[in-house]
């Protein structure tokens, strides 16, 4: 059997959607956790599976399953052949970012309910911008001066908490490269929650979760795998002919010129080598998430946790959350049609095949279930879309967006009769600062929404007052914004980017309610799952209650999602 080398990196890097202000924050109180959710589910077959795996591939577009299907021969091939594949799964909220996506998948509720409305948001109770996973009362183990992390800002329980409320001996492990991914998936009381930190050269956790690392972690050390990958570099894993599923290797707009084509030789790259040993240095550990090695770290930790924490070893069900975050880093830098993204998914296919084989041997093929999804999709680079015949594709320089926003603010202030322009903070929309009375604020935000809606690259804008009046069950763009809206954490004015438009210099991005960003894979696999292709519309809020039903867990009655009954084989 093929197994990944067992490793851990003791280590956050500058991530694709980094916190706006990591250090300036105040922790909020933890939500009150119930002893158990309300309505019981029904086990799939017999006593049900002993381990449930929730795999979230960051920035995975749904079309990758079809586009690369003829090249898959590992885990993705198995999922497509024996899983319940939903072809029309969407995030049904407007702000499609990492933290909201993972929290939505884990809790079965929308951001308006679970409170994680964006990676960063303006907390009106604290009168400051905050990072979704930041908690200054929960310092990182071994890094007391680093910004702390915890799920205290997450206002809902999730699948992990439902398990803990039902089985005191049930175990929950959550691991990802991104802290916000591991934190939001793991819920409020996991046994282990780990994420990557470049300064630590490996995986870390915070004192919210534990006072010390598990004993088995200390036995892992710095793996040979990292040294080998660093010295060998990153090259195509398959023969070059199969990459005709993607564009040419050197394409303007990918990453930075001089470092956007295979092979990537890290040992020859300035700043990546350790000056003394010649091995991987700080620059390489910063860059590690932007390579497939990032997922090697995560999956190897996950496999070791299955062994050492005895996940799936008894009749009490356990849950393992895995966040494959390198997909997002690579996608942002090279884009969906790049050979780098294709190579990433070919490698992930084989890695999943090894992981599934490991679970078959460790737990038994009838002892585990798995669901695959993504926290969001991605909008490709407009230059590539234009070449493919998309007429309305356009890249918007950041300076043009800044100028358009400022002009809109100036015109709105004049239209509202204000003597001077209010201070505006742009965090998932416009947040108006200052001492405006209610009448002046309403007049200004209404005018600002009208002005922003007239900007060439926006297709609409809403005020918070308008969004608050929308029925949360509404379809369309207003409904999606309502499901992303929180009275004390959201902007005063929301804007929405037109489809096929991209702001800034990334090779791909996300964050809108457009199909490219909201359409994600959803595949269930395991004993008791009715395999097949399901073409009807489903939403990511349906994932957690469906997994809970398969595990026989009580399911809260006030979820935004529903159990996908058709995929569950009943006795």
């Amino acid at each position: 059997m093929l197994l990944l080398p067992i490793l851990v990196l003791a280590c956050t890097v500058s991530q694709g959607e980094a916190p706006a202000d990591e250090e300036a924050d105040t922790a909020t109180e933890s939500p009150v956790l119930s002893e158990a959710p309300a309505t019981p589910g029904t086990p799939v077959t017999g006593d049900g599976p002993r381990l449930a795996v929730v795999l979230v591939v960051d920035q995975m577009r749904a079309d990758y399953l079809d586009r690369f299907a003829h090249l898959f021969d590992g885990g993705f091939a198995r999922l497509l052949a024996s899983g319940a594949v939903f072809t029309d799964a969407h995030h049904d909220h407007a702000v499609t970012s990492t933290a909201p996506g993972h929290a939505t998948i884990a809790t079965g509720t929308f951001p308006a309910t679970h409170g994680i409305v964006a990676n960063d948001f303006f907390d009106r109770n604290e009168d400051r911008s905050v990072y979704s996973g930041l908690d200054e009362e929960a310092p990182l183990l071994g890094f007391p001066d680093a910004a702390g992390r915890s799920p205290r800002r997450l206002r809902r329980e999730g699948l992990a908490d439902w398990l803990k409320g039902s089985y005191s001996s049930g175990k929950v492990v959550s691991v990802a490269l991104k802290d916000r991914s591991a934190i939001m998936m793991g819920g409020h009381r996991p046994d282990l929650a780990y994420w990557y930190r470049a300064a630590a050269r490996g995986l870390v956790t915070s004192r919210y979760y534990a006072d010390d690392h598990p004993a088995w972690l200390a036995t892992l050390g710095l793996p040979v795998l990292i040294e080998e990958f660093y010295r060998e570099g990153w090259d195509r894993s398959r023969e070059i002919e199969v990459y005709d599923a993607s564009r040419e290797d050197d394409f303007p707009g990918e990453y930075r010129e001089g470092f956007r084509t295979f092979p990537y030789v890290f040992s020859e790259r300035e700043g990546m080598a350790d000056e003394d040993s010649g091995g991987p240095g700080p620059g390489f550990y910063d860059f590690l998430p932007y390579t497939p090695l990032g997922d090697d770290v995560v999956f190897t930790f996950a496999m070791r946790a299955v062994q050492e924490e005895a996940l799936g070893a008894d009749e009490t069900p356990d849950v393992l959350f895995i966040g494959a975050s390198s997909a997002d880093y690579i996608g942002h830098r090279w884009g969906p049609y790049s050979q780098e993204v294709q190579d990433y998914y070919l490698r992930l296919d084989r890695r999943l095949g090894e992981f599934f084989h490991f679970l078959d041997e460790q737990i038994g093929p009838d002892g585990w279930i798995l669901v695959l999804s993504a926290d969001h999709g991605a909008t490709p680079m407009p230059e590539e879309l234009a070449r493919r015949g998309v007429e309305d594709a356009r890249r918007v320089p950041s300076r043009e967006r800044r100028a358009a926003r400022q002009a809109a603010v100036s015109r709105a202030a004049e239209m509202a009769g204000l003597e001077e322009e209010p201070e505006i903070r742009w965090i998932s929309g416009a947040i108006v600062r200052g001492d405006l009375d209610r009448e002046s604020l309403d007049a200004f935000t209404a005018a600002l929404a009208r002005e922003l809606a007239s900007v060439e690259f926006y297709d609409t804008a809403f005020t918070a007052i308008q969004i608050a009046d929308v029925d949360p069950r509404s379809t369309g763009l207003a409904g999606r914004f309502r499901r992303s809206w929180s009275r004390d954490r959201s902007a005063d004015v929301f804007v929405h980017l037109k489809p096929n438009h991209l702001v800034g210099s990334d090779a791909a991005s996300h964050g809108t309610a457009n199909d490219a960003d909201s359409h994600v894979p959803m595949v269930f696999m395991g004993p008791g799952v009715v395999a097949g292709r399901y073409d009807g519309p489903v939403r990511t809020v349906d994932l957690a209650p469906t997994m809970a039903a398969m595990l026989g867990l009580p399911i809260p009655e006030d979820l935004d999602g529903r159990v996908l009954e058709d995929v569950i084989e009943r006795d």
Side-chain angles (χ1 to χ4, degrees), residues 16-17 56-64 98 102 178 324-336 341 344-345 373-380 506-510 516-517 519-521:
E17 309 157 67
V56 180
V57 181
D58 201 318
Q59 202 191 114
M60 185 175 181
R61 289 166 53 101
D63 63 355
Y64 291 154
T98 294
H102 282 83
K178 294 183 181 180
S325 309
S326 281
D328 186 70
Y329 291 105
I330 294 170
H332 274 290
R333 291 206 166 177
W334 287 280
V341 162
Y344 168 84
Y345 280 97
S373 194
D375 54 344
H376 53 74
T379 296
D506 278 357
S509 197
H510 51 86
D517 295 350
H519 192 192
V520 295

Side-chain angles (χ1 to χ4, degrees), residues 9-15 140 143 177-179 195-204 222 226 280-290 329:
L9 297 174
C11 134
T12 302
V13 320
S14 169
Q15 297 177 342
L140 305 188
F143 295 86
L177 281 186
K178 294 183 181 180
D179 54 19
W195 53 88
Y196 182 74
R197 181 174 176 80
R201 301 194 171 191
L203 295 168
V204 297
L222 183 66
I226 299 173
F284 177 74
Y285 286 99
D286 286 339
F287 195 80
L288 185 152
Y290 297 90
Y329 291 105

